[in-house]
C-alpha cells in the first residue's frame, strides 16, 4: 500500500463516479455545514450590535430574525427553481453568465471565489476561537490548531465527495440534534412558565443602554445577521454531485438545510427574548450567545458540554462547504478557459485536486497572515455572497422570460422577488460594512476578473495559433544535424554517441574546456575515430570550445545558435546524455548541468532546436 | 545592466583572479574579523564565571588572560609554520589529512565546518543582541535584524573576496582603533594614578561572593576565555587568497591579527583589574564589560557611543570569517569527492557561490530556530575549533619528521608544543562544557563524517561504472523506433511528427482517450496519411489507448515498456512535443504533462528509452 493510497484512498475509475454521488443524508454535511453552522454566529452577530441598547435590545432580535428568515424563504424558493432549471450545476456563475452575459458570470464567480476563501478561513478560526476561549491554555497554539484543522479538512476532501459526507455526518447531526433539543426544551419551559421562564444558570447582567434604537442600527443588525445566509447557494452550485434523481435529491437537501436553519434561527431568537439573553462584549467575561442560552435552558450539565462541543466542531468544519464548492466553481471557469486548465482535471478520487489545493493554500495564507484570529475578515465576506445571489436571481428572471406558460410567470415572480430582496441586502451590507473592510472586496473582485480575462485571452491566442495546421510537409526529409556536448570520454558520452550515429551522419562533438585542455584526444582517436573509419561512417570532428568565464552552458547554446543561422532549413538536435541516479537525493551530488542546458536550449527565444535526452543508469 | 550584475557585479574571467587577491590590509577584515571581534566577548566570558567570587574575582582575570595569551602565542607560531609549509592553503583538513591520514583530515574538516556555521550564527546574534540591549525598542525585530545582516554579509561575499575586504575595512579598523585608544587612555590614567584610577563613570557595585576560587572554576574560566581564540586558523585556511608573495603576505596578516588581539586582550584584562570591572548578570541592569570599561575610562561621552557602535558592528560582521573559510574548506572537500561537486565550482565572481549559499542557509536556519538569540549555542563552538587546532598541529609534527635539518627540528618542537597545548585545551573545554551542550558536537561531527564518506563512496562507484568504456559499437545502426503521443491534431503535434519522419520510418502514434473518443480520425487521414502515402513513406498507425483512471502518463509509459520488451535490441525514442511559453508565469496555465512524462520515462527503472523534446513556440 503506497503512501498515496493510505492518505487518499485507491484511485477511482471514471466509471465509478456513480458510487461517489451523494444522497440527501450525505449531501447535508457536504453542502450544508456552512449554512447550518451560521446559526451559531448569525444571531450573535446581530445581537452584538444591539448591546448598546441595554436590556431593551433583546426585544428587537425577534423582528430582525424574522426579516432574515423571510429573506431566507425567498432565496430558498429562488434556488429551488435554479436547481430545476440548471440540473448540471446552476451556480451563480452559470446562471448569471448564461442569462446576463459573460461579465455578469465572472463577477458572480469572482465574488463567490473570494467568499469561499474567506468563509473557509473564518470558519476554522471561529471554531478554534471557541475552543480557545473554553480552554485558554491552548491560546498559544491557536495558529497550529487552525492549520491542523485545515489539513484535516483538505485531506478528507481529497479522498472524495462521498467520503467527506460520511466523515462529517456525525458532527453535523450532533450539532443540529443538540441545538434543536435545547430549543425544544427551552420553548416548553417558556410556554409552561407563561413566557417568562427562570434560567437554570442565569445569563450575565445587562449593561446600561448607551444608544437608542434607530433605522441605521436596525439595518446594521440586519446586515450582520445576514451572515447566517451565506452557504445557501452551495447546493445549487454542486447539483451534479447528487444521486439520481438529481434535481429531486438536490432540492430535498436544500429543503432540509434551509428548514433546519430557519428552525434554529427562529428558536434562538425566541429564546433570547424569553430568557433575556444578549451578546456580551468581547474580552474577559465574554460568553457566546449559544453558551448563555444552553446554560439558561439546561444548566451547566453534561448536556451543556456536549452541545458546546458540537457547536465548536461544526464551526471549525464549516470550512468544508467552501471545499465542496470552490473546486467545482473553478472547474467550470477552467473549462470555459477563464482559469488554468489543471483546475478542470479530476484527480485519483474524482475530485478536483488542484482546486482543493489552491483553496487550502489561500486559506492557510490568510490564517498565517492573521495568526489564526480572523475576526477582521468577517465584515468582508457577506458582500460577495449577496452579490452572487443577486446576479443569480436576476439571471433567473431573464431565464424565465424565455420560457412560455403561466408556471414560468410565477417562477419569474419568485426570482424577481429574490433579486430585489438580495439586491437591497447587498446595498445594506455594503453600505453598513464598507468602512470596516467591505471596500477591500471592491479591489479584490475586479482584480480576479482581470486575471480571468487575461487567462482566457491567452488560451484563445494559443488555440488560434496551434489550430488548423497545414498538412504534413514531407519535403526536406534530411536527418537533423546532431550536436553532442561531452565532458570526457566515458560510458555516458558513449551512449550519447551511439544514439547520434543512429539518427544522423552529421555529428558535431563539443568539448567545453574550462580549465587546461585534457588528454582526451588520444582516447578519442582510438575509441571513436578508428571504429567509425573502419565502418565507413564520416568521422565527427571533436570541437574544443574555450570558456574564459567558466560557463559551460552558454558556449553550447551559442554554438547551436550559430548552426541554426548557418543552416536555416535544417533541424538541429542537441543530444544531452543524462546521468540517471537511483535515489532523488543523489541529485544533490551532481551539478544538474543537463537540466540547465536543456531548459536553456528549449526556452531560447526563436530557437527551433530539438533536445534529445539519452539516459544512462548506474546499473545499465 | 541585469539584476545579477547589479547585485553581484559583472562576471569575472578566470584570468582576472590576480586582481581578486588580497593584501594584508584587505586580508585582515576578511580573515581577522572573527579573531579580532572575540576581544569583545572572550574576556567577558571568562569574567562571567568569576562573578560568583564577588569583588575578589576580578584579580584572577589577569593570570587567566595571560595563560590564554600564552596559548595564543604558541598557536601563532605553529600556524606561521603551517602557512609556510602549505602555501596552497594549509587548513587543518589538508595538514591533518596529508600527515595523519584521511580520517583525521575529515575529522578536522567536520569539526571546522560545524564551528563555522555556529560562529556565523552566534556572531550575528551577538551583534544584534548588543544593539537590542542598547535600544530595547528594537527587541521585537531581533530575528529580522539578524537575517538582514546575514543577507548583507552573504551578498557582499558573493561579490568576491577583495570586495569583501574593502567593504569591511572601515568597521574593522574603527573597532581596533577605538578599542586601542580606550586601552591606551586607561593605562595612562591608571599609571598616573598609581594603579588606582578613578572611573569617570563608575561600574555597578559587586555582589557578595557566593563561592571561593578553586581549580575547577579556574579551568572553566580559562575554557570560556578560549572562545577568544577561534578564528586564528582562518588565515592558514585561506592562504591561496593572498597576493604574491603569498606566504609572506599571509604571515604578515596573521601577525597583525594576533598582535592586535593580544594587545586588546591584555589591555582589557589589566584595565578590568585596575578599574575593578567584572561581568554583570544577564537580565535587567546587564552591562557588557566593554561598555563598563569604556564608560569608566572615557565617561559616557560621544567617544563612548562611537566605541560601542564599532564593537557592535564588528560583532555582527564577525560572521564574515566563516564566509571566507567555509566555502574554501568545502571546495577542498568537494575536489576530493567528499562533498557534492557543485561546491567546487567558482561562480561569476570567482568565489565558491554554492558554499556561501549553503553556509547562509544553515546560518539562517539556526537563527530562525533560536529566534535570533543563540546564547545557548555558545558552549558548542570552541570544541570544534580546538579539535581542528590539535589535529593540525599534530599533523605538522609528522610533517617535520620527514624534513631534514636543525630548523625542521626546532619547527617540530614548536608544533609539538602547540599540539600539546591545544590538546590540553580541547580536554578542558570539552570537559567543562560537556553538559551545557558540547555533547551535541559529539553527535554532529560523526554524522558529518559519515555523510562525507558516503558521498565519496558514491562518486567512486559512479566513476568506476562510467570509466573505461568499450570502443564505439557500430553494429545495429537501425534508426530508433519512435513513439509520438498526441492529444489532438494541431501545430504542436505536426512539429513532432515532422521531426519523427526525419529520424525513423517506424513511428507509433499514441492517442490517449480519457473521455469520449473524438473526431480526430478524419483530419488525421487527410492531413497525415494521404501526404505520407503520396510520398511513399510507411504510414504510422494511430493507436488509441483508453485510460479508465484518467491517467495520461502511465499508459504511455506502459506502452513504451512493452515495446522495449518486444524489441530488446532496438532503441526506443519518445518524441514529446513541448509547448514553450513566452513568460514563466504562463506555465501555470498548462498542466506540464510534457515535463511529467519526460521524467517518468527517463527515471524509469531499467529503462533505456531516449526522450526527444520538440519545442513549439507561440510565435514560431
Amino acid at each position: 500500500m503506497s503512501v498515496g493510497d493510505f492518505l487518499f484512498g485507491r484511485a477511482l475509475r471514471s466509471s465509478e463516479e456513480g458510487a461517489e454521488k451523494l444522497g440527501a443524508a450525505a449531501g447535508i454535511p457536504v453542502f450544508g455545514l456552512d449554512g447550518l453552522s451560521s446559526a451559531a454566529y448569525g444571531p450573535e452577530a446581530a445581537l452584538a450590535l444591539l448591546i448598546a441598547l441595554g436590556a431593551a435590545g433583546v426585544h428587537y432580535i425577534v423582528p430582525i430574525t424574522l426579516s432574515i428568515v423571510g429573506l431566507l424563504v425567498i432565496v430558498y424558493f429562488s434556488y429551488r427553481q435554479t436547481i430545476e432549471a440548471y440540473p448540471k450545476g446552476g451556480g451563480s456563475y452559470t446562471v448569471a453568465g448564461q442569462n446576463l452575459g459573460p461579465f455578469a458570470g465572472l463577477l458572480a464567480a469572482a465574488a463567490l471565489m473570494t467568499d469561499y476563501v474567506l468563509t473557509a478561513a473564518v470558519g476554522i478560526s471561529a471554531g478554534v476561537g471557541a475552543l480557545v476561549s473554553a480552554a485558554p491554555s491552548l491560546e498559544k497554539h491557536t495558529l497550529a490548531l487552525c492549520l491542523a484543522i485545515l489539513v484535516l479538512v483538505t485531506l478528507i476532501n481529497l479522498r472524495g465527495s462521498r467520503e467527506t459526507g460520511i466523515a462529517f455526518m456525525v458532527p453535523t447531526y450532533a450539532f443540529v440534534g443538540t441545538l434543536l433539543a435545547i430549543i425544544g426544551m427551552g420553548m416548553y419551559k417558556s410556554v409552561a412558565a407563561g413566557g417568562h421562564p427562570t434560567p437554570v444558570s442565569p445569563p450575565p447582567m445587562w449593561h446600561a443602554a448607551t444608544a437608542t434604537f434607530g433605522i441605521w442600527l436596525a439595518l446594521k443588525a440586519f446586515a450582520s445577521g445576514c451572515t447566517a445566509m451565506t452557504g445557501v447557494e452551495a447546493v445549487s452550485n454542486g447539483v451534479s454531485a447528487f444521486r439520481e434523481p438529481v434535481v429531486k435529491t438536490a432540492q430535498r437537501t436544500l429543503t432540509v438545510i434551509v428548514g433546519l436553519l430557519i428552525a434554529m434561527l427562529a428558536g434562538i431568537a425566541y429564546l433570547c427574548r424569553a430568557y433575556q439573553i444578549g451578546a456580551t462584549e468581547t474580552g474577559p467575561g465574554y460568553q457566546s450567545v449559544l453558551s448563555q442560552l444552553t446554560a439558561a435552558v439546561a444548566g451547566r450539565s453534561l448536556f451543556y458540554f456536549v452541545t458546546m462541543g458540537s457547536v465548536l466542531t461544526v464551526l471549525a468544519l464549516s470550512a468544508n462547504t467552501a471545499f465542496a464548492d470552490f473546486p467545482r466553481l473553478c472547474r467550470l471557469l477552467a473549462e470555459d478557459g477563464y482559469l488554468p486548465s489543471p483546475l478542470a482535471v479530476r484527480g485519483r478520487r474524482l475530485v478536483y485536486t488542484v482546486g482543493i489545493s489552491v483553496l487550502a493554500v489561500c486559506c492557510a495564507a490568510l490564517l498565517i497572515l492573521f495568526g489564526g484570529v480572523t475576526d477582521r475578515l468577517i465584515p468582508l465576506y457577506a458582500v460577495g455572497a449577496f452579490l452572487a445571489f443577486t446576479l443569480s436571481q436576476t439571471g433567473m428572471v431573464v431565464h424565465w422570460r424565455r420560457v412560455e406558460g403561466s408556471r414560468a410567470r410565477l417562477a419569474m415572480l419568485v426570482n424577481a422577488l429574490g433579486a430585489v430582496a438580495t439586491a437591497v441586502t447587498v446595498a445594506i451590507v455594503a453600505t453598513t460594512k464598507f468602512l470596516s473592510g467591505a471596500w477591500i472586496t471592491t479591489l479584490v473582485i475586479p482584480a480576479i476578473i482581470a486575471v480571468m480575462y487575461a487567462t482566457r485571452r491567452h488560451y484563445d491566442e494559443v488555440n488560434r495559433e496551434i489550430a488548423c495546421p497545414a498538412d504534413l510537409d514531407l519535403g526536406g526529409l534530411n536527418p537533423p544535424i546532431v550536436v553532442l556536448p561531452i565532458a570526457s570520454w566515458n560510458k555516458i558520452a558513449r551512449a550519447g554517441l551511439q544514439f547520434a550515429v543512429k539518427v544522423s551522419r552529421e555529428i558535431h562533438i563539443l568539448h567545453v574546456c574550462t580549465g587546461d585542455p585534457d588528454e582526451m584526444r588520444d582516447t578519442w582517436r582510438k575509441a571513436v575515430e578508428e571504429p567509425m573509419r573502419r565502418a565507413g561512417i564520416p568521422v565527427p570532428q571533436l570541437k574544443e570550445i574555450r570558456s574564459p568565464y567558466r560557463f559551460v552552458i552558454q558556449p553550447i547554446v551559442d554554438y547551436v545558435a550559430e548552426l541554426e543561422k548557418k543552416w536555416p532549413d535544417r533541424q538541429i538536435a542537441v543530444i544531452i546524455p543524462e546521468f540517471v541516479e537511483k535515489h532523488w537525493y543523489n541529485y544533490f551530488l551532481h551539478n544538474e548541468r543537463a537540466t540547465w542546458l536543456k531548459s536553456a536550449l528549449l526556452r531560447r527565444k526563436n530557437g527551433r532546436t530539438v533536445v534529445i535526452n539519452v539516459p544512462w543508469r548506474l546499473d545499465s
Side-chain angles (χ1 to χ4, degrees), chain A:
Chain A
M1 191 164 165
S2 74
V3 180
D5 282 356
F6 175 74
L7 279 178
F8 310 116
R10 66 176 178 87
L12 294 178
R13 282 175 170 266
S14 301
S15 57
E16 287 177 288
E17 180 151 31
E20 276 298 299
K21 296 283 184 186
L22 300 171
I28 291 168
V30 170
F31 292 105
L33 260 174
D34 183 19
L36 291 174
S37 70
S38 54
Y41 57 80
E44 168 125 22
L47 281 165
L49 282 156
L50 302 176
I51 291 179
L53 301 179
V58 78
H59 288 284
Y60 297 103
I61 190 64
V62 174
I64 288 171
T65 303
L66 284 181
S67 45
I68 293 170
V69 166
L71 186 58
L72 195 52
V73 170
I74 296 172
V75 171
Y76 162 70
F77 279 106
S78 315
Y79 272 112
R80 226 184 120 85
Q81 295 184 167
T82 309
I83 291 171
E84 203 175 337
Y86 290 91
K88 300 214 156 172
S92 308
Y93 166 64
T94 317
V95 177
Q98 291 193 4
N99 295 299
L100 306 174
F103 179 79
L106 294 185
L107 180 59
L112 275 181
M113 282 170 69
T114 324
D115 215 51
Y116 285 138
V117 173
L118 289 169
T119 211
V122 170
I124 290 175
S125 141
V128 171
L131 175 65
V132 164
S133 79
S137 66
L138 291 173
E139 188 160 358
K140 58 180 174 295
H141 303 298
T142 301
L143 180 59
L145 287 167
C146 286
L147 294 178
I149 291 174
L150 177 63
V151 168
L152 182 79
V153 172
T154 309
L155 279 183
I156 292 181
N157 273 280
L158 286 175
R159 292 185 70 101
S161 308
R162 222 181 121 59
E163 285 67 15
T164 309
I166 292 168
F168 292 154
M169 256 184 204
V170 173
T172 309
Y173 293 122
F175 167 75
V176 173
T178 49
L179 206 55
L180 288 181
I182 289 290
I183 289 170
M185 215 192 302
M187 290 182 70
Y188 172 79
K189 285 191 182 177
S190 172
V191 170
H196 295 286
T198 321
V200 180
S201 181
M205 299 301 289
W206 290 91
H207 289 282
T210 57
T212 51
F213 191 74
I215 186 73
W216 181 245
L217 190 67
L219 288 178
K220 271 165 75 173
F222 172 76
S224 291
C226 278
T227 49
M229 285 183 55
T230 59
V232 172
E233 86 294 350
V235 174
S236 72
N237 252 328
V239 183
S240 60
F242 285 97
R243 194 183 290 163
E244 288 290 344
V246 169
V247 168
K248 285 275 162 259
T249 317
Q251 283 181 338
R252 196 174 314 129
T253 308
L254 181 64
T255 309
V256 175
I257 293 173
V258 172
L260 289 174
L261 181 56
I262 289 177
M264 291 193 288
L265 290 178
I268 290 169
Y270 172 80
L271 290 181
C272 280
R273 193 170 60 180
Y275 280 98
Q276 293 281 312
I277 289 166
T280 52
E281 299 276 2
T282 51
Y286 167 80
Q287 219 189 328
S288 74
V289 168
L290 278 194
S291 163
Q292 294 177 55
L293 194 95
T294 313
V297 172
R300 292 189 180 275
S301 58
L302 178 65
F303 192 65
Y304 168 84
F305 291 102
V306 172
T307 310
M308 294 325 292
S310 73
V311 168
L312 188 152
T313 313
V314 156
L315 273 178
L317 300 181
S318 67
N320 190 63
T321 302
F323 276 89
D325 270 357
F326 181 89
R328 287 190 172 82
L329 175 59
C330 289
R331 172 247 182 151
L332 293 174
L333 288 159
E335 282 179 345
D336 291 349
Y338 289 113
L339 283 181
S341 59
L343 287 163
V345 177
R346 284 188 302 178
R348 56 195 288 147
R349 299 290 289 182
L350 293 166
V351 287
Y352 301 98
T353 312
V354 179
I356 291 176
S357 313
V358 168
L359 176 59
V361 169
C362 292
C363 188
L366 278 183
L367 286 172
I368 292 171
L369 203 66
F370 287 86
V373 183
T374 54
D375 291 353
R376 273 185 289 165
L377 294 178
I378 293 178
L380 273 69
Y381 86 101
V383 183
F386 276 95
L387 186 57
F389 286 0
T390 310
L391 288 165
S392 149
Q393 304 301 333
T394 315
M396 285 305 291
V397 174
V398 176
H399 168 83
W400 294 122
R401 282 185 58 182
R402 299 205 206 94
V403 182
E404 290 294 313
S406 63
R407 211 178 144 246
R409 289 291 84 82
L410 179 68
M412 188 169 99
L413 204 72
V414 171
N415 283 127
L417 189 62
V420 172
T422 49
V424 171
T425 315
V426 169
I428 295 173
V429 172
T431 321
T432 54
K433 296 186 170 183
F434 190 80
L435 288 181
S436 53
W439 61 270
I440 295 174
T441 46
T442 61
L443 302 179
V444 172
I445 292 175
I448 295 177
I449 295 178
V451 168
M452 294 196 287
Y453 270 122
T455 307
R456 171 66 182 259
R457 211 162 35 239
H458 182 79
Y459 280 125
D460 285 348
E461 193 190 342
V462 170
N463 288 332
R464 210 169 32 241
E465 290 240 15
I466 67 172
C468 304
D471 293 350
L472 204 59
D473 174 16
L474 293 169
L477 281 188
N478 284 331
I481 300 174
V482 170
V483 176
L484 172 64
I486 63 176
S488 65
W489 180 246
N490 54 33
K491 287 185 187 155
I492 303 176
R494 181 170 175 266
L497 189 53
Q498 299 270 39
F499 187 80
V501 291
K502 286 182 189 172
V503 295
S504 180
R505 287 290 175 268
E506 288 161 90
I507 303 170
H508 298 234
I509 311 282
L510 295 191
H511 182 220
V512 179
C513 317
T514 54
D516 303 323
D518 53 29
E519 291 141 35
M520 215 178 78
R521 298 216 146 262
D522 288 342
T523 333
W524 184 256
R525 206 162 293 136
K526 191 200 146 295
V528 180
E529 298 191 349
E530 280 175 22
M532 288 188 100
R533 214 164 276 136
R534 259 183 274 124
I537 296 171
V539 175
Q541 218 199 317
L542 179 64
K543 291 190 206 318
E544 280 180 2
I545 300 182
R546 301 205 61 82
S547 171
Y549 291 96
R550 304 166 307 287
F551 298 134
V552 176
I553 292 168
Q554 200 51 47
I556 300 174
V557 174
D558 291 345
Y559 187 90
V560 168
E562 241 169 73
L563 269 187
E564 276 187 354
K565 216 186 285 166
K566 202 167 154 194
W567 302 96
D569 51 354
R570 291 290 297 281
Q571 196 133 25
I572 319 290
V574 179
I575 294 190
I576 305 183
E578 196 159 333
F579 182 70
V580 179
E581 280 279 9
K582 268 177 285 188
H583 306 290
W584 60 267
Y585 48 79
N586 284 340
Y587 283 95
F588 290 111
L589 299 179
H590 306 286
N591 42 36
E592 290 291 288
R593 264 188 199 139
T595 312
W596 287 108
L597 177 56
K598 231 188 306 181
S599 89
L601 285 169
L602 289 176
R603 314 248 139 125
R604 202 159 46 93
K605 240 181 154 179
N606 304 320
R608 53 199 166 79
T609 294
V610 166
V611 171
I612 301 180
N613 311 280
V614 177
W616 198 92
R617 269 170 201 75
L618 256 193
D619 0 316
S620 66

